[in-house]
Amino acid sequence: MGPLTELAVLVAGHGVTGRAVASVLRTRAARVVTLDAGDPEADLASIGAEEVATFDVVVASPGWRPTSQVFVDAAAAGVPVWSEVELAWRLRVPSAATGEPAPWLALTGTNGKTTTVEMLLSILEADGRAAAAVGNVGRPLVEAVVDPSLEVLAIELSSFQLHFTTSMSPLAGAVLNVAPDHLDWHGTFEEYAAAKGKVYHQAQVACVYNVEDPLTEQLVRDADVVEGARAVGVTVGAPGRSGVGLVEGVLCDRAFHVPADDPRRHDSAAELGSLDDLAHLAGPDGAVPSHVVFDALAAAALARAYGVDAGSVREGLRGFRPGAHRIATVAQVPAAGGAGTVAFVDDSKATNAHAASASLGGFAPGTVVWVAGGLAKGATFDELVRTRADRLRAVVLIGADRSALLDALGRHAGDVPVVEVDPGDTGTVMQRAVETAHGLARPGDTVLLAPACASMDQFASYAARGDAFAEQTRLLLGRVGDGR
Protein backbone atom coordinates (compact mmCIF):
# COMPACT_ATOMS: atom_id res chain seq x y z
CA MET A 1 0.00 0.00 0.00
CA GLY A 2 1.30 3.45 -0.94
CA PRO A 3 1.43 6.60 1.18
CA LEU A 4 -1.84 7.91 2.54
CA THR A 5 -1.71 10.94 0.23
CA GLU A 6 -2.21 8.55 -2.70
CA LEU A 7 -5.05 6.49 -1.20
CA ALA A 8 -8.80 6.48 -1.73
CA VAL A 9 -10.54 6.02 1.63
CA LEU A 10 -14.13 4.97 2.31
CA VAL A 11 -15.32 6.09 5.75
CA ALA A 12 -18.11 3.85 7.02
CA GLY A 13 -20.30 6.02 9.23
CA HIS A 14 -20.93 9.72 9.71
CA GLY A 15 -21.31 9.93 13.48
CA VAL A 16 -18.78 11.54 15.82
CA THR A 17 -16.00 9.16 14.77
CA GLY A 18 -16.80 9.21 11.07
CA ARG A 19 -16.95 12.99 10.92
CA ALA A 20 -13.62 13.32 12.75
CA VAL A 21 -11.98 10.76 10.45
CA ALA A 22 -13.29 12.45 7.31
CA SER A 23 -12.19 15.87 8.54
CA VAL A 24 -8.64 14.74 9.31
CA LEU A 25 -8.32 12.80 6.05
CA ARG A 26 -9.66 15.56 3.84
CA THR A 27 -6.20 17.14 3.52
CA ARG A 28 -4.25 13.91 3.95
CA ALA A 29 -5.75 11.40 1.50
CA ALA A 30 -6.24 11.48 -2.25
CA ARG A 31 -9.97 10.76 -2.06
CA VAL A 32 -12.40 10.51 0.86
CA VAL A 33 -15.98 9.24 0.60
CA THR A 34 -18.31 8.85 3.58
CA LEU A 35 -20.97 6.16 3.67
CA ASP A 36 -23.71 7.60 5.84
CA ALA A 37 -26.49 5.63 7.46
CA GLY A 38 -28.33 6.32 10.68
CA ASP A 39 -28.80 2.58 10.93
CA PRO A 40 -25.58 0.91 9.67
CA GLU A 41 -27.60 -1.87 8.07
CA ALA A 42 -30.28 0.30 6.48
CA ASP A 43 -28.44 2.19 3.74
CA LEU A 44 -25.80 -0.26 2.54
CA ALA A 45 -27.56 -0.67 -0.78
CA SER A 46 -26.28 2.83 -1.61
CA ILE A 47 -22.85 1.37 -2.36
CA GLY A 48 -22.20 -1.96 -4.00
CA ALA A 49 -19.39 -4.48 -3.85
CA GLU A 50 -17.89 -3.24 -7.12
CA GLU A 51 -17.63 0.31 -5.82
CA VAL A 52 -16.14 -0.83 -2.49
CA ALA A 53 -13.38 -2.52 -4.49
CA THR A 54 -12.33 0.85 -5.96
CA PHE A 55 -11.10 2.05 -2.56
CA ASP A 56 -7.69 1.38 -1.05
CA VAL A 57 -8.92 1.21 2.56
CA VAL A 58 -12.17 1.30 4.52
CA VAL A 59 -12.25 3.03 7.93
CA ALA A 60 -14.86 1.53 10.25
CA SER A 61 -16.94 3.50 12.74
CA PRO A 62 -17.34 1.71 16.09
CA GLY A 63 -21.11 1.25 15.79
CA TRP A 64 -20.86 -0.78 12.58
CA ARG A 65 -20.70 -4.50 13.21
CA PRO A 66 -17.97 -6.63 11.58
CA THR A 67 -20.70 -8.44 9.66
CA SER A 68 -21.87 -5.23 7.93
CA GLN A 69 -22.01 -5.79 4.19
CA VAL A 70 -19.49 -3.08 3.36
CA PHE A 71 -16.84 -4.90 5.43
CA VAL A 72 -17.75 -8.24 3.90
CA ASP A 73 -17.40 -6.71 0.45
CA ALA A 74 -14.09 -5.11 1.39
CA ALA A 75 -12.69 -8.42 2.61
CA ALA A 76 -13.80 -10.17 -0.58
CA ALA A 77 -12.04 -7.51 -2.65
CA GLY A 78 -8.87 -7.57 -0.55
CA VAL A 79 -9.45 -4.02 0.71
CA PRO A 80 -8.13 -3.59 4.29
CA VAL A 81 -10.53 -2.40 6.99
CA TRP A 82 -9.06 -0.10 9.63
CA SER A 83 -10.50 1.18 12.87
CA GLU A 84 -10.13 4.83 13.77
CA VAL A 85 -7.41 3.63 16.17
CA GLU A 86 -5.50 1.94 13.36
CA LEU A 87 -5.73 5.07 11.22
CA ALA A 88 -4.70 7.26 14.15
CA TRP A 89 -1.59 5.16 14.80
CA ARG A 90 -0.51 5.70 11.19
CA LEU A 91 -1.21 9.47 11.31
CA ARG A 92 0.82 10.41 14.41
CA VAL A 93 2.88 13.60 14.20
CA PRO A 94 5.84 14.62 16.39
CA SER A 95 5.10 16.42 19.63
CA ALA A 96 6.53 19.93 19.85
CA ALA A 97 7.74 19.11 23.37
CA THR A 98 9.76 16.01 22.50
CA GLY A 99 10.18 15.82 18.73
CA GLU A 100 8.63 12.34 18.81
CA PRO A 101 4.99 11.24 18.47
CA ALA A 102 3.14 11.35 21.78
CA PRO A 103 3.33 7.91 23.43
CA TRP A 104 0.07 6.06 24.04
CA LEU A 105 -1.07 4.90 27.48
CA ALA A 106 -3.99 2.76 26.37
CA LEU A 107 -6.59 1.01 28.49
CA THR A 108 -9.73 -1.01 28.02
CA GLY A 109 -12.05 -3.17 30.11
CA THR A 110 -15.68 -3.96 30.62
CA ASN A 111 -16.01 -1.54 33.52
CA GLY A 112 -14.10 1.40 34.95
CA LYS A 113 -12.46 2.66 31.74
CA THR A 114 -13.60 6.26 31.90
CA THR A 115 -12.86 6.73 35.59
CA THR A 116 -9.39 5.22 35.14
CA VAL A 117 -8.47 7.24 32.07
CA GLU A 118 -9.61 10.46 33.75
CA MET A 119 -7.59 9.58 36.86
CA LEU A 120 -4.62 8.94 34.58
CA LEU A 121 -5.07 12.34 32.94
CA SER A 122 -5.21 14.01 36.37
CA ILE A 123 -1.94 12.31 37.33
CA LEU A 124 -0.22 13.27 34.06
CA GLU A 125 -1.30 16.89 34.44
CA ALA A 126 -0.10 16.93 38.05
CA ASP A 127 3.28 15.86 36.65
CA GLY A 128 3.28 18.88 34.34
CA ARG A 129 2.67 16.95 31.12
CA ALA A 130 0.72 18.30 28.15
CA ALA A 131 -1.78 15.43 28.03
CA ALA A 132 -5.33 14.64 26.92
CA ALA A 133 -7.84 11.89 27.65
CA VAL A 134 -9.06 10.72 24.25
CA GLY A 135 -10.55 7.82 22.32
CA ASN A 136 -13.79 6.46 23.69
CA VAL A 137 -13.98 9.54 25.93
CA GLY A 138 -13.45 13.20 25.14
CA ARG A 139 -11.72 14.19 21.93
CA PRO A 140 -11.58 11.71 19.01
CA LEU A 141 -8.22 9.94 18.91
CA VAL A 142 -7.71 10.68 15.23
CA GLU A 143 -7.77 14.43 15.99
CA ALA A 144 -5.46 14.18 18.99
CA VAL A 145 -2.66 12.35 17.17
CA VAL A 146 -2.22 15.22 14.70
CA ASP A 147 -2.03 17.85 17.47
CA PRO A 148 1.67 18.65 18.07
CA SER A 149 0.94 20.42 21.35
CA LEU A 150 0.25 17.09 23.12
CA GLU A 151 3.09 15.29 24.88
CA VAL A 152 1.34 12.07 25.93
CA LEU A 153 -2.11 10.52 25.36
CA ALA A 154 -4.32 8.74 27.91
CA ILE A 155 -6.51 6.59 25.68
CA GLU A 156 -9.75 4.80 26.52
CA LEU A 157 -10.49 2.09 23.96
CA SER A 158 -13.64 0.03 23.47
CA SER A 159 -13.73 -3.48 22.08
CA PHE A 160 -15.37 -2.01 18.96
CA GLN A 161 -12.41 0.30 18.37
CA LEU A 162 -9.90 -2.50 18.94
CA HIS A 163 -11.54 -5.05 16.63
CA PHE A 164 -10.07 -3.66 13.39
CA THR A 165 -6.78 -2.54 15.01
CA THR A 166 -3.55 -4.34 14.12
CA SER A 167 -0.53 -2.00 14.14
CA MET A 168 -0.58 0.11 17.30
CA SER A 169 2.26 -0.22 19.79
CA PRO A 170 1.36 1.56 23.04
CA LEU A 171 3.98 2.50 25.57
CA ALA A 172 1.77 0.68 28.07
CA GLY A 173 -1.57 -1.09 27.79
CA ALA A 174 -4.07 -2.20 30.42
CA VAL A 175 -7.14 -4.44 30.56
CA LEU A 176 -9.02 -3.61 33.76
CA ASN A 177 -11.43 -6.54 33.68
CA VAL A 178 -13.37 -8.70 31.22
CA ALA A 179 -16.99 -9.72 31.71
CA PRO A 180 -19.63 -10.62 29.10
CA ASP A 181 -20.75 -7.53 27.19
CA HIS A 182 -21.52 -6.51 23.60
CA LEU A 183 -22.00 -10.15 22.63
CA ASP A 184 -24.57 -9.08 20.03
CA TRP A 185 -21.76 -7.17 18.27
CA HIS A 186 -18.88 -9.62 18.69
CA GLY A 187 -20.84 -12.85 18.43
CA THR A 188 -19.07 -14.72 21.25
CA PHE A 189 -17.41 -13.93 24.56
CA GLU A 190 -14.14 -15.30 23.18
CA GLU A 191 -14.18 -12.78 20.32
CA TYR A 192 -15.02 -9.98 22.73
CA ALA A 193 -12.13 -10.92 25.04
CA ALA A 194 -9.74 -11.24 22.10
CA ALA A 195 -10.61 -7.71 20.98
CA LYS A 196 -9.86 -6.39 24.47
CA GLY A 197 -6.52 -8.20 24.44
CA LYS A 198 -5.37 -6.21 21.41
CA VAL A 199 -4.54 -3.33 23.76
CA TYR A 200 -1.42 -5.31 24.72
CA HIS A 201 -0.22 -5.78 21.12
CA GLN A 202 3.38 -4.62 20.79
CA ALA A 203 3.32 -2.95 24.22
CA GLN A 204 6.72 -1.36 24.74
CA VAL A 205 7.12 -1.01 28.52
CA ALA A 206 4.26 -2.61 30.45
CA CYS A 207 1.16 -4.77 30.17
CA VAL A 208 -1.03 -3.91 33.17
CA TYR A 209 -3.49 -6.60 34.24
CA ASN A 210 -5.98 -7.32 37.04
CA VAL A 211 -4.64 -9.88 39.51
CA GLU A 212 -8.21 -10.75 40.55
CA ASP A 213 -9.28 -11.37 36.92
CA PRO A 214 -7.16 -14.27 35.58
CA LEU A 215 -8.40 -13.72 32.03
CA THR A 216 -6.60 -10.39 31.88
CA GLU A 217 -3.33 -12.10 32.80
CA GLN A 218 -3.95 -14.73 30.14
CA LEU A 219 -4.43 -11.98 27.57
CA VAL A 220 -0.98 -10.68 28.55
CA ARG A 221 0.50 -14.16 28.12
CA ASP A 222 -1.09 -14.43 24.68
CA ALA A 223 0.11 -11.00 23.52
CA ASP A 224 2.98 -10.35 21.14
CA VAL A 225 4.88 -7.56 22.93
CA VAL A 226 8.12 -5.66 22.44
CA GLU A 227 11.06 -7.45 24.01
CA GLY A 228 11.54 -6.24 27.57
CA ALA A 229 7.93 -5.25 28.18
CA ARG A 230 6.81 -6.33 31.66
CA ALA A 231 3.62 -7.79 33.06
CA VAL A 232 2.44 -5.58 35.93
CA GLY A 233 -0.30 -6.90 38.19
CA VAL A 234 -2.76 -4.57 39.92
CA THR A 235 -4.52 -5.66 43.09
CA VAL A 236 -6.37 -4.07 46.00
CA GLY A 237 -4.29 -6.36 48.22
CA ALA A 238 -0.55 -6.56 48.81
CA PRO A 239 1.30 -6.31 45.47
CA GLY A 240 3.69 -8.91 44.12
CA ARG A 241 7.26 -8.15 43.04
CA SER A 242 6.07 -6.69 39.73
CA GLY A 243 2.85 -5.20 40.95
CA VAL A 244 0.96 -2.22 42.28
CA GLY A 245 -1.39 -2.64 45.23
CA LEU A 246 -2.60 -1.63 48.68
CA VAL A 247 -0.91 -2.30 52.03
CA GLU A 248 -2.55 -1.05 55.24
CA GLY A 249 -4.25 1.82 53.43
CA VAL A 250 -1.16 2.82 51.42
CA LEU A 251 -1.02 2.65 47.61
CA CYS A 252 2.27 0.91 46.81
CA ASP A 253 4.37 0.40 43.69
CA ARG A 254 6.74 -2.58 43.56
CA ALA A 255 6.87 -2.70 39.76
CA PHE A 256 8.65 0.53 38.83
CA HIS A 257 10.29 1.51 42.12
CA VAL A 258 14.10 1.44 42.05
CA PRO A 259 15.68 1.88 45.50
CA ALA A 260 18.29 4.63 45.42
CA ASP A 261 20.64 2.78 47.77
CA ASP A 262 20.63 -0.48 45.80
CA PRO A 263 18.94 -0.61 42.35
CA ARG A 264 19.18 -4.41 42.39
CA ARG A 265 16.78 -4.75 45.33
CA HIS A 266 13.16 -5.61 44.55
CA ASP A 267 11.79 -6.06 48.06
CA SER A 268 10.86 -2.42 48.69
CA ALA A 269 8.06 -0.26 47.35
CA ALA A 270 7.30 3.36 46.53
CA GLU A 271 4.39 5.01 48.31
CA LEU A 272 2.01 6.46 45.71
CA GLY A 273 -0.62 7.78 48.07
CA SER A 274 -3.15 6.53 50.58
CA LEU A 275 -6.84 5.92 50.96
CA ASP A 276 -7.02 9.38 52.54
CA ASP A 277 -6.06 10.81 49.14
CA LEU A 278 -9.19 9.16 47.72
CA ALA A 279 -11.50 10.12 50.58
CA HIS A 280 -13.43 12.53 48.34
CA LEU A 281 -14.50 9.47 46.30
CA ALA A 282 -16.00 7.61 49.26
CA GLY A 283 -19.40 5.97 48.97
CA PRO A 284 -22.48 6.57 51.12
CA ASP A 285 -20.97 4.49 53.93
CA GLY A 286 -17.87 6.71 54.11
CA ALA A 287 -15.55 4.06 52.66
CA VAL A 288 -13.78 4.28 49.31
CA PRO A 289 -15.26 1.48 47.14
CA SER A 290 -12.77 -1.21 46.20
CA HIS A 291 -13.37 -0.71 42.47
CA VAL A 292 -12.45 2.98 42.84
CA VAL A 293 -9.23 1.99 44.63
CA PHE A 294 -8.47 -0.48 41.84
CA ASP A 295 -9.05 2.14 39.15
CA ALA A 296 -6.68 4.52 40.96
CA LEU A 297 -4.00 1.83 41.16
CA ALA A 298 -4.39 0.96 37.47
CA ALA A 299 -4.08 4.62 36.51
CA ALA A 300 -1.01 4.88 38.72
CA ALA A 301 0.59 1.83 37.07
CA LEU A 302 0.15 3.32 33.59
CA ALA A 303 1.52 6.67 34.73
CA ARG A 304 4.53 5.01 36.38
CA ALA A 305 5.22 3.08 33.16
CA TYR A 306 5.53 6.49 31.49
CA GLY A 307 7.93 7.69 34.19
CA VAL A 308 5.70 9.86 36.38
CA ASP A 309 7.10 10.27 39.89
CA ALA A 310 5.29 9.02 42.98
CA GLY A 311 4.49 12.50 44.28
CA SER A 312 2.62 13.39 41.10
CA VAL A 313 0.55 10.23 41.41
CA ARG A 314 -0.58 11.33 44.86
CA GLU A 315 -1.33 14.88 43.74
CA GLY A 316 -3.20 13.69 40.67
CA LEU A 317 -5.42 11.36 42.68
CA ARG A 318 -6.12 14.08 45.25
CA GLY A 319 -7.15 16.45 42.48
CA PHE A 320 -9.29 13.99 40.54
CA ARG A 321 -13.03 14.64 40.37
CA PRO A 322 -15.31 12.13 38.65
CA GLY A 323 -17.38 13.15 35.65
CA ALA A 324 -21.15 13.21 35.50
CA HIS A 325 -23.41 10.17 35.73
CA ARG A 326 -21.05 8.08 37.86
CA ILE A 327 -22.56 7.44 41.30
CA ALA A 328 -23.57 11.10 41.62
CA THR A 329 -26.12 12.00 44.29
CA VAL A 330 -28.78 14.14 42.62
CA ALA A 331 -30.93 15.03 45.63
CA GLN A 332 -32.27 13.97 48.99
CA VAL A 333 -36.06 13.75 48.57
CA PRO A 334 -38.50 13.54 51.49
CA ALA A 335 -39.70 9.95 51.78
CA ALA A 336 -43.25 9.14 50.74
CA GLY A 337 -43.98 6.98 53.75
CA GLY A 338 -42.84 9.07 56.69
CA ALA A 339 -40.08 11.19 58.18
CA GLY A 340 -36.65 11.08 56.63
CA THR A 341 -35.35 11.26 53.09
CA VAL A 342 -34.49 9.07 50.12
CA ALA A 343 -31.25 9.60 48.20
CA PHE A 344 -31.52 9.62 44.40
CA VAL A 345 -28.22 8.54 42.84
CA ASP A 346 -27.34 8.72 39.13
CA ASP A 347 -24.99 6.01 37.85
CA SER A 348 -26.28 5.96 34.29
CA LYS A 349 -22.70 5.20 33.17
CA ALA A 350 -23.24 1.65 34.54
CA THR A 351 -24.19 0.32 31.12
CA ASN A 352 -23.41 -3.35 31.74
CA ALA A 353 -23.88 -5.97 34.44
CA HIS A 354 -20.30 -5.70 35.70
CA ALA A 355 -20.61 -1.94 36.28
CA ALA A 356 -24.05 -2.23 37.87
CA SER A 357 -22.76 -4.89 40.26
CA ALA A 358 -19.95 -2.59 41.41
CA SER A 359 -22.45 0.22 41.87
CA LEU A 360 -24.95 -1.83 43.89
CA GLY A 361 -22.14 -3.22 46.01
CA GLY A 362 -21.52 0.20 47.52
CA PHE A 363 -24.85 0.26 49.38
CA ALA A 364 -26.11 -1.46 52.50
CA PRO A 365 -28.26 -4.61 52.20
CA GLY A 366 -31.96 -4.06 51.62
CA THR A 367 -31.70 -0.30 51.00
CA VAL A 368 -31.73 0.11 47.21
CA VAL A 369 -34.65 0.72 44.88
CA TRP A 370 -32.89 -0.19 41.67
CA VAL A 371 -33.87 1.52 38.40
CA ALA A 372 -32.57 -0.81 35.71
CA GLY A 373 -33.04 -1.85 32.12
CA GLY A 374 -32.52 -0.64 28.59
CA LEU A 375 -30.75 -2.30 25.66
CA ALA A 376 -29.28 -5.57 26.95
CA LYS A 377 -26.88 -6.11 24.01
CA GLY A 378 -27.23 -9.89 24.32
CA ALA A 379 -26.03 -9.93 27.94
CA THR A 380 -27.31 -12.12 30.76
CA PHE A 381 -27.81 -10.93 34.34
CA ASP A 382 -27.87 -14.04 36.54
CA GLU A 383 -24.52 -13.39 38.21
CA LEU A 384 -25.38 -9.73 38.82
CA VAL A 385 -28.74 -10.46 40.43
CA ARG A 386 -27.52 -13.51 42.35
CA THR A 387 -24.66 -11.60 43.99
CA ARG A 388 -26.51 -8.31 44.59
CA ALA A 389 -30.08 -9.43 45.41
CA ASP A 390 -29.40 -8.76 49.09
CA ARG A 391 -28.98 -5.03 48.34
CA LEU A 392 -32.46 -4.65 46.84
CA ARG A 393 -35.58 -3.19 48.40
CA ALA A 394 -37.36 -3.18 45.04
CA VAL A 395 -36.69 -2.93 41.30
CA VAL A 396 -38.16 -0.54 38.73
CA LEU A 397 -37.59 -1.77 35.17
CA ILE A 398 -37.38 0.60 32.23
CA GLY A 399 -36.44 -0.11 28.62
CA ALA A 400 -37.88 -2.16 25.81
CA ASP A 401 -35.44 -5.09 26.17
CA ARG A 402 -36.26 -6.39 29.64
CA SER A 403 -36.80 -10.13 29.38
CA ALA A 404 -33.26 -11.13 30.42
CA LEU A 405 -33.40 -8.96 33.55
CA LEU A 406 -36.89 -10.18 34.42
CA ASP A 407 -35.80 -13.80 34.09
CA ALA A 408 -32.74 -13.27 36.31
CA LEU A 409 -34.79 -11.44 38.94
CA GLY A 410 -37.31 -14.26 38.94
CA ARG A 411 -34.61 -16.87 39.45
CA HIS A 412 -32.48 -15.11 42.06
CA ALA A 413 -34.58 -12.38 43.70
CA GLY A 414 -38.08 -13.80 43.73
CA ASP A 415 -39.05 -12.00 46.94
CA VAL A 416 -38.03 -8.56 45.68
CA PRO A 417 -40.92 -6.44 44.31
CA VAL A 418 -40.47 -5.64 40.61
CA VAL A 419 -42.46 -2.90 38.85
CA GLU A 420 -42.27 -2.55 35.08
CA VAL A 421 -42.60 0.87 33.49
CA ASP A 422 -44.50 0.64 30.21
CA PRO A 423 -42.00 1.57 27.47
CA GLY A 424 -44.74 2.74 25.11
CA ASP A 425 -44.44 6.45 25.95
CA THR A 426 -40.71 7.12 25.80
CA GLY A 427 -41.14 10.79 26.60
CA THR A 428 -42.48 10.11 30.10
CA VAL A 429 -40.61 6.91 30.94
CA MET A 430 -38.18 8.51 33.38
CA GLN A 431 -40.84 10.57 35.11
CA ARG A 432 -42.86 7.42 35.74
CA ALA A 433 -39.76 5.49 36.84
CA VAL A 434 -38.71 8.16 39.34
CA GLU A 435 -42.19 8.51 40.80
CA THR A 436 -42.62 4.74 41.07
CA ALA A 437 -39.22 4.31 42.74
CA HIS A 438 -40.00 7.07 45.22
CA GLY A 439 -43.20 5.32 46.21
CA LEU A 440 -41.33 2.06 46.84
CA ALA A 441 -38.50 3.58 48.89
CA ARG A 442 -38.41 3.94 52.66
CA PRO A 443 -36.63 6.61 54.72
CA GLY A 444 -32.88 6.12 54.46
CA ASP A 445 -33.09 4.17 51.20
CA THR A 446 -31.42 5.00 47.90
CA VAL A 447 -33.06 5.12 44.48
CA LEU A 448 -30.18 4.06 42.24
CA LEU A 449 -30.14 4.45 38.46
CA ALA A 450 -27.56 1.81 37.48
CA PRO A 451 -29.26 0.32 34.42
CA ALA A 452 -26.82 -2.51 33.53
CA CYS A 453 -27.88 -1.83 29.93
CA ALA A 454 -27.20 0.58 27.11
CA SER A 455 -29.53 3.52 26.63
CA MET A 456 -30.19 3.70 22.90
CA ASP A 457 -33.61 2.05 22.98
CA GLN A 458 -35.16 5.08 24.69
CA PHE A 459 -32.43 7.73 25.11
CA ALA A 460 -29.79 9.28 22.89
CA SER A 461 -26.99 8.27 25.26
CA TYR A 462 -26.26 7.22 28.83
CA ALA A 463 -25.71 10.92 29.56
CA ALA A 464 -29.17 11.84 28.26
CA ARG A 465 -30.63 9.06 30.39
CA GLY A 466 -28.83 10.36 33.47
CA ASP A 467 -29.88 13.92 32.72
CA ALA A 468 -33.51 12.81 32.47
CA PHE A 469 -33.23 11.01 35.81
CA ALA A 470 -31.74 14.08 37.46
CA GLU A 471 -34.35 16.41 35.95
CA GLN A 472 -37.27 14.25 37.06
CA THR A 473 -35.76 13.84 40.52
CA ARG A 474 -35.53 17.62 40.96
CA LEU A 475 -39.08 18.06 39.72
CA LEU A 476 -40.21 15.41 42.21
CA LEU A 477 -38.32 17.22 44.98
CA GLY A 478 -40.15 20.42 44.07
CA ARG A 479 -43.54 18.74 44.21
CA VAL A 480 -42.87 16.86 47.44
CA GLY A 481 -41.31 19.90 49.07
CA ASP A 482 -44.39 21.94 48.22
CA GLY A 483 -46.62 19.25 49.68
CA ARG A 484 -48.17 18.46 46.32
Side-chain angles (χ1 to χ4, degrees):
M1 183 181 296
L4 188 59
T5 52
E6 299 175 3
L7 301 184
V9 182
L10 176 63
V11 181
H14 199 61
V16 173
T17 297
R19 290 194 299 272
V21 167
S23 177
V24 169
L25 286 178
R26 199 156 285 124
T27 58
R28 292 174 171 83
R31 176 180 171 227
V32 180
V33 174
T34 299
L35 178 60
D36 185 18
D39 175 355
E41 307 299 337
D43 194 35
L44 294 180
S46 64
I47 188 167
E50 292 184 2
E51 188 173 353
V52 171
T54 67
F55 290 90
D56 297 299
V57 66
V58 176
V59 179
S61 292
W64 291 48
R65 299 185 185 186
T67 54
S68 294
Q69 190 61 48
V70 65
F71 304 144
V72 174
D73 292 341
V79 177
V81 179
W82 294 349
S83 66
E84 177 213 0
V85 179
E86 180 69 19
L87 175 65
W89 182 256
R90 295 166 183 259
L91 286 177
R92 294 170 300 140
V93 301
S95 166
T98 65
E100 299 290 335
W104 289 18
L105 304 176
L107 65 95
T108 189
T110 303
N111 186 34
K113 296 187 296 295
T114 301
T115 297
T116 305
V117 80
E118 290 176 349
M119 284 179 166
L120 174 58
L121 175 62
S122 184
I123 293 168
L124 293 170
E125 290 179 336
D127 201 51
R129 312 291 182 153
V134 298
N136 200 43
V137 61
R139 188 177 182 184
L141 178 57
V142 74
E143 293 180 357
V145 296
V146 295
D147 182 350
S149 70
L150 295 174
E151 185 178 355
V152 58
L153 298 179
I155 307 173
E156 176 187 329
L157 296 175
S158 71
S159 58
F160 302 160
Q161 293 169 305
L162 286 163
H163 180 82
F164 287 117
T165 300
T166 58
S167 299
M168 80 166 181
S169 175
L171 184 80
V175 180
L176 305 179
N177 42 63
V178 184
D181 197 16
H182 300 302
L183 302 189
D184 56 339
W185 197 94
H186 289 280
T188 66
F189 177 67
E190 289 73 21
E191 288 293 326
Y192 170 67
K196 292 290 190 188
K198 287 189 174 186
V199 80
Y200 293 134
H201 179 68
Q202 290 298 298
Q204 300 168 28
V205 173
C207 295
V208 178
Y209 69 93
N210 182 343
V211 172
E212 276 74 49
D213 188 342
L215 179 53
T216 65
E217 183 176 7
Q218 186 59 50
L219 292 174
V220 175
R221 295 181 185 278
D222 294 342
D224 182 13
V225 303
V226 172
E227 184 175 356
R230 303 166 56 192
V232 176
V234 176
T235 175
V236 293
R241 293 184 65 178
S242 184
V244 177
L246 187 69
V247 178
E248 297 181 349
V250 176
L251 282 64
C252 299
D253 167 27
R254 293 188 65 191
F256 302 100
H257 176 56
V258 178
D261 57 340
D262 186 353
R264 296 169 297 177
R265 287 175 52 211
H266 296 284
D267 57 352
S268 61
E271 181 176 333
L272 304 176
S274 71
L275 292 181
D276 288 342
D277 297 313
L278 302 173
H280 58 291
L281 305 175
D285 61 355
V288 182
S290 62
H291 66 277
V292 173
V293 178
F294 177 85
D295 293 345
L297 289 164
L302 288 167
R304 294 286 280 170
Y306 177 60
V308 170
D309 67 45
S312 294
V313 173
R314 182 191 294 272
E315 290 306 310
L317 294 177
R318 283 178 176 171
F320 168 74
R321 295 296 181 272
H325 313 298
R326 286 189 287 278
I327 319 183
T329 300
V330 176
Q332 294 282 346
V333 179
T341 61
V342 174
F344 279 69
V345 175
D346 170 15
D347 196 12
S348 186
K349 187 72 167 64
T351 58
N352 56 61
H354 197 267
S357 179
S359 188
L360 285 164
F363 298 91
T367 66
V368 177
V369 178
W370 181 29
V371 181
L375 191 62
K377 305 171 291 184
T380 59
F381 302 96
D382 288 272
E383 180 68 11
L384 163 62
V385 176
R386 184 184 64 79
T387 57
R388 297 305 187 202
D390 68 317
R391 301 303 202 270
L392 304 178
R393 167 86 65 198
V395 179
V396 177
L397 283 184
I398 61 174
D401 184 13
R402 61 184 63 181
S403 60
L405 261 171
L406 273 172
D407 290 347
L409 287 164
R411 281 190 289 270
H412 306 291
D415 295 334
V416 175
V418 177
V419 179
E420 297 183 62
V421 177
D422 185 348
D425 184 359
T426 298
T428 65
V429 63
M430 195 56 79
Q431 175 188 345
R432 289 177 286 136
V434 165
E435 291 175 348
T436 300
H438 181 244
L440 292 166
R442 298 180 186 176
D445 282 355
T446 297
V447 173
L448 174 66
L449 175 68
C453 294
S455 59
M456 288 81 75
D457 58 335
Q458 292 185 303
F459 300 92
S461 64
Y462 78 82
R465 179 172 59 192
D467 289 342
F469 177 80
E471 178 185 13
Q472 292 303 322
T473 297
R474 294 184 184 110
L475 290 172
L476 173 67
L477 176 61
R479 293 194 297 273
V480 173
D482 291 340
R484 287 181 278 166

